[in-house]
Amino acid sequence: MASSHSSSPVPRPSGGGRGGIYHKERDPSPPRCRPLRSLPDVCPKEPTGEGRGLCDGPSVVAEHDRWTVYSSKVNLPAALNDPRLAKRESDFFTKTWGLDFAETEVMPSFYLPNITREHFGPYLQEMAQRERIHERCKTICPNKDDVDAVSSITTNHDKSRAELEQVPKIFMKPEFALEDPATFNAVLPWSHFNSTGGKSSRDVASSKLLQEKLSHYLDVVEVSIARQISLRSEAFFHAMSSQHELQDRLQETQRAVAVLRGRTAAIDRVMCQGPLRALRTALTRNNCVKLHNKLKLMAAVHQTQPTVQLLLSTSEFVGALELIATTKEVLQQELQGIHSFRHLGSQLCELEKLIDKMMVEDFSMYARSDLNRCLKDEPQVLEKERLASLVFGLLRQRKLDFLDIYSDEMIMAAKSIVAQCVAESVLHIEDIDTEVVTKLADQMRLMTFPQWFELLKSIFESFLLFLQRIKATLNVIRTVVLEVLDSNQKSRLLEEASSEPSGQESSHVPQLLQGEAELAYLTHEGLFISDALNEAQQQQQAAAAQDQSSATGSRIQQGRTEPDSNSGTRESASREQSFMSGENMMPSELELNRVLNNIQELLYTASDVSHDRCVKVLTARAKDGSLERLSSAEFVCLSQAVDGFVRDTEELCGRRSVSLRGALQSQANRFVHRFHEERKTKLSLLLDNERWKQAEVPAEFQDLVNSIADGRITLPERKTPGSEDRKPAEFLFVNGQKYAVVGTVLLLIRIFLEYCQCVNDIPSIATDMLTRLSDLLKHFNSRSCQLVLGAGALQVVGLKTITTKNLALASRCLQLVVLYIPVIRAHFETKLQPKQFSVLRHFDHITKDYNDHIAEISAKLVAIMDSLFEKVLSKYEVKAPMPSACFRNVCKQMAKMHEAINELLPEEQTQMLFLRINASFKMHLKRQLARLGVINDGGPQHGLVVVDVAFYTENVQALKSLERLNLNMAEIWEQKR
């Protein structure tokens, strides 16, 4: 068995040591440590019985041979340097060598070589295989000491358990009690004894056996308890010593507490009771002040309903609403739970609903009276302060649909404006009996156009004044909404600023003083105002808890000012305070912006309503087609008046309304249709009565053509008869050329100038008018073609025949129209939008049709002479006398043709026409000569033909403007190849 001064076990060899060579471990916590156990004596006198010790050498116990180094289990350096010890005594060395003992570094020996790891290299290589085998065996075979320790503990535990198991389980139960009969009978089985009352030897033996058994059980339990006490004796005695020490300290603490209590009682008696009494008195005073303020607040709240009734009697809706809102806030915060005010909240809610209805009704009455009053000689805005107060109250109550009320009243007022204007106009017209003709539309249709036009201008003027008044009223409403919006933004900024601690501290005192002053002034009436001001000055040093009650009372008494004061100042002050106190009740910024948009839309609606009412007036007049029968000048006046009204309303309201312009456009389309049909019918009548003779040109038509040449595509002003007496000319001179025309073409020129003038006056109908003018020009072309080329004039007018003069005159008229088509096109191009230029292609088609018609007339003139040549030359014979009768007849017809067209067609066209006629003559002559067999051989017949040809050439070149015409008669002798 190990001694009491045993050392710690010898350290295990490190990984670098082999065969009994040990190294000092530097790590204080090795990776593998076995359980601590008592060490044997340093020099044992007998073997310890351990199988294999801490080293890997042979067992001394097993061999009992000579002593070796393996027998040395423990040495002093190993005990001192054992890293597995949990604690080392600090005075280990001082016990023996004194307090002066200190560890010093040992200098290396100069006689020993410096041994490194390389010196052990061969040994490590040699021992590596043995070490692996040893480690493997060590894991398989456990340590004998551990097995013995565990086995001894297990044996003692099993022995103790076996002994305890002998004791019956009933004694171990927590509910064991001998008072229980069942338990008592189980412990003392009396059934084994004689129940007769006698004592037999058997009963004595049984009782002794039972007594010994119970004694044995007692001994077993006591031994077990003793064993447990011995195991825990050290802790038990330590607890006992600690208990005594604890009792000593408790006694000291008790004495200290008694001293402290005495001193505390003295301090309380000397220093605390007086100040506490003063604090209690101050607290009582503060509570009395709060109670006084609360009672004054209750008095103010009690006067709320009479004050609200007083404000409502003067239409002070904003002040009444502010007072109700503040009172409700006070009831919920300051006066909550007061029994006398239990019904006041519901009464205020009902009163607030009543005020809502009153405000809506009042606003409706205001709108009705404002919109239906006289439009002239009155201010644009009626009772501006009243309107602002109503709008602010409606906004406060979130009655954002008040603009719909104004819109409905506006529509009704617009209807009444038209009725009033019609009634005023009818009063001055004696021909209309209002008792017979009751409907406004019928009355308007009975008016003449000048009367109706004056009525329309009066309606336009009234609606402009009406829109100006609406705009001024809406500007006032917009101003109020913008003020509320600005107030909301300022309140939000103030809240953000007051959220900072510095802002709260700096603004605390001024708000306190202002709230108390307002409380002092507003919570007293009559003769108590001066006293209240004195109280306010005295309460400036009161606690901060009074601020809320004071400010609340000031807001409640806001409406209790004298109702006879200045209304403008009262409204402004009430509105400003409402901005600050009622921002939570006000609509949000999104809702206010929506109201602003609705205000602008309402102005647009007013413009649209005005236009719609004017459209009713226009359509009522046009129902019987009277507007379609207007003259161009009258319709132009109507169009200009409507355009002026549309332009003025657009400038006033900021948006163009299309209903009136659309109605005018519809009437314009009907007007254009009637305008076109009248002129087309007129042109058809003129063409059907045209005899296709040259007409004289009046001076006014020549002036008209001259003005077109100067770039004025308009009708000249009518001149008074007899102002200028000029004879008509024979020809129409255009750009230095003379045109022989018929009367229909002169009127056609005036007609298309009327179209151009109408487009100048009404630009919106330019496209429609261009299409109608194209149709008119096409109609003139096709109808003239039917009458002249188609010989329709023979049946329509009764002409005997269509002469060459008729044809030439028709051609010249068509050329004059073709001359003016580009002028008309350029004029319309200035009136059209770029995207509408595609309609100008109609003029290109018309120009082509006219040129084709002119070419057909020229071909017709050539065809007339061609048939004459064919008829005459078919009888031609080459014989004397010369010139022959055939050639005399041809020359005579040529002279007639020249006489008919020379004055009508220009020289160039005459020459081109006679060249074509000469070519036809040469063709027929050549064909006849070939039939007769006459050739260019210089014979007698050739000579006779030459004489006739010379006669023909001389006569043709003798005609006017044909002197230098090259007839090239030699072609008649050319043979076909």
Side-chain angles (χ1 to χ4, degrees), residues 656-672:
R656 174 179 293 237
S657 298
V658 297
S659 59
L660 183 58
R661 189 178 292 274
L664 179 65
Q665 183 66 38
S666 176
Q667 294 300 325
N669 293 336
R670 297 177 183 176
F671 169 76
V672 168

Side-chain angles (χ1 to χ4, degrees), residues 133-373:
I133 295 172
H134 170 71
E135 292 294 335
R136 190 163 54 249
C137 293
K138 185 170 61 176
T139 57
I140 296 173
C141 301
N143 196 333
K144 188 173 183 299
D145 294 340
D146 297 339
V147 173
D148 294 341
V150 171
S151 62
S152 62
I153 294 172
T154 305
T155 301
N156 294 332
H157 181 68
D158 293 342
K159 183 179 180 181
S160 176
R161 177 179 294 181
E163 292 177 351
L164 286 174
E165 287 179 353
Q166 296 176 5
V167 180
K169 300 297 182 182
I170 192 173
F171 294 102
M172 304 299 178
K173 292 182 178 180
E175 62 273 9
F176 177 79
L178 288 176
E179 293 83 357
D180 186 10
T183 304
F184 186 82
N185 291 329
V187 174
L188 299 174
W190 297 103
S191 61
H192 297 284
F193 300 99
N194 190 1
S195 59
T196 58
K199 292 185 179 179
S200 64
S201 57
R202 183 178 178 183
D203 294 338
V204 172
S206 298
S207 63
K208 287 183 178 180
L209 182 60
L210 179 61
Q211 184 177 3
E212 290 177 0
K213 186 184 296 185
L214 292 176
S215 300
H216 176 67
Y217 292 161
L218 178 61
D219 293 340
V220 169
V221 172
E222 288 178 350
V223 169
S224 179
I225 291 173
R227 184 183 295 112
Q228 294 297 327
I229 292 174
S230 65
L231 292 176
R232 294 170 175 80
S233 60
E234 182 178 358
F236 176 75
F237 291 113
H238 178 71
M240 292 300 295
S241 60
S242 299
Q243 183 69 19
H244 292 300
E245 183 179 359
L246 181 60
Q247 290 180 355
D248 296 339
R249 291 186 179 181
L250 284 175
Q251 291 177 358
E252 293 177 0
T253 303
Q254 184 179 6
R255 290 192 293 270
V257 168
V259 173
L260 180 60
R261 284 183 174 180
R263 292 179 180 177
T264 303
I267 291 173
D268 177 62
R269 185 175 57 257
V270 175
M271 302 180 63
C272 295
Q273 289 182 359
L276 284 176
R277 190 180 300 109
L279 289 176
R280 192 176 298 110
T281 304
L283 182 60
T284 303
R285 181 183 179 279
N286 290 335
N287 290 335
C288 291
V289 171
K290 290 181 180 178
L291 178 60
H292 182 232
N293 290 334
K294 191 74 70 175
L295 291 174
K296 290 192 295 182
L297 187 61
M298 291 177 63
V301 170
H302 183 67
Q303 294 297 323
T304 298
Q305 286 182 311
T307 307
V308 169
Q309 296 293 341
L310 183 62
L311 292 173
L312 292 180
S313 64
T314 58
S315 298
E316 296 290 341
F317 299 109
V318 177
L321 289 172
E322 175 65 21
L323 182 58
I324 290 174
T326 307
T327 305
K328 290 169 67 176
E329 180 182 357
V330 170
L331 288 175
Q332 293 175 0
Q333 297 179 0
E334 300 294 326
L335 303 179
Q336 188 175 9
I338 295 179
H339 186 72
S340 60
F341 289 151
R342 64 187 182 279
H343 300 304
L344 184 58
S346 59
Q347 293 173 359
L348 292 177
C349 291
E350 293 297 328
L351 194 58
E352 191 173 8
K353 293 179 182 178
L354 177 62
I355 293 175
D356 290 347
K357 295 180 181 179
M358 291 177 64
M359 282 194 302
V360 172
E361 184 64 28
D362 198 8
F363 183 79
S364 178
M365 292 175 60
Y366 173 84
R368 192 177 303 113
S369 61
D370 178 57
L371 294 173
N372 292 322
R373 60 193 173 97

Side-chain angles (χ1 to χ4, degrees), residues 4-56:
S4 61
H5 299 286
S6 62
S7 301
S8 62
V10 178
R12 295 178 58 84
S14 64
R18 298 293 182 268
I21 300 176
Y22 302 97
H23 291 272
K24 179 181 178 181
E25 294 189 15
R26 301 184 184 276
D27 190 0
S29 58
R32 295 178 59 186
C33 295
R34 293 182 179 181
L36 296 178
R37 59 185 180 273
S38 300
L39 294 175
D41 292 336
V42 176
C43 296
K45 296 179 180 172
E46 60 182 1
T48 58
E50 295 176 355
R52 287 189 178 269
L54 298 175
C55 62
D56 296 331

Side-chain angles (χ1 to χ4, degrees), residues 670-813:
R670 297 177 183 176
F671 169 76
V672 168
H673 178 73
R674 182 200 56 81
F675 180 88
H676 173 68
E677 290 300 327
E678 286 182 356
R679 280 146 187 80
K680 186 175 180 180
T681 303
K682 181 179 180 180
L683 181 62
S684 299
L685 293 175
L686 291 173
L687 287 173
D688 291 342
N689 294 304
E690 182 61 58
R691 303 188 66 85
W692 298 101
K693 293 182 179 180
Q694 183 178 358
E696 294 182 346
V697 180
E700 58 175 331
F701 283 97
Q702 185 62 55
D703 295 338
L704 193 64
V705 169
N706 295 337
S707 67
I708 296 175
D710 295 337
R712 297 190 299 274
I713 315 298
T714 57
L715 290 173
E717 297 180 359
R718 293 183 177 273
K719 297 181 180 180
T720 57
S723 60
E724 186 177 357
D725 189 8
R726 290 188 296 171
K727 294 182 179 180
E730 187 177 357
F731 295 96
L732 183 67
F733 291 90
V734 181
N735 297 330
Q737 293 187 8
K738 62 179 183 178
Y739 286 85
V741 294
V742 296
T744 303
V745 173
L746 294 176
L747 294 176
L748 177 63
I749 294 174
R750 184 176 182 85
I751 287 173
F752 70 66
L753 280 181
E754 291 177 354
Y755 278 79
C756 295
Q757 180 68 40
C758 195
V759 170
N760 288 339
D761 297 331
I762 315 174
S764 60
I765 62 174
T767 306
D768 196 11
M769 194 64 77
L770 185 147
T771 305
R772 304 304 174 93
L773 180 57
S774 301
D775 179 67
L776 186 73
L777 294 174
K778 290 179 181 178
H779 176 70
F780 174 78
N781 184 37
S782 60
R783 188 59 179 161
S784 60
C785 180
Q786 294 171 3
L787 293 173
V788 180
L789 283 179
L794 300 179
Q795 291 81 21
V796 176
V797 186
L799 296 179
K800 295 180 179 180
T801 182
I802 301 298
T803 63
T804 55
K805 191 169 186 178
N806 297 138
L807 293 171
L809 191 59
S811 175
R812 196 58 173 160
C813 291

Side-chain angles (χ1 to χ4, degrees), residues 836-856:
Q836 298 174 332
F837 284 169
S838 59
V839 299
L840 295 173
R841 67 180 184 275
H842 294 302
F843 291 114
D844 299 332
H845 300 326
I846 293 171
T847 303
K848 181 178 180 301
D849 293 341
Y850 271 71
N851 288 328
D852 292 344
H853 190 185
I854 294 171
E856 290 177 3

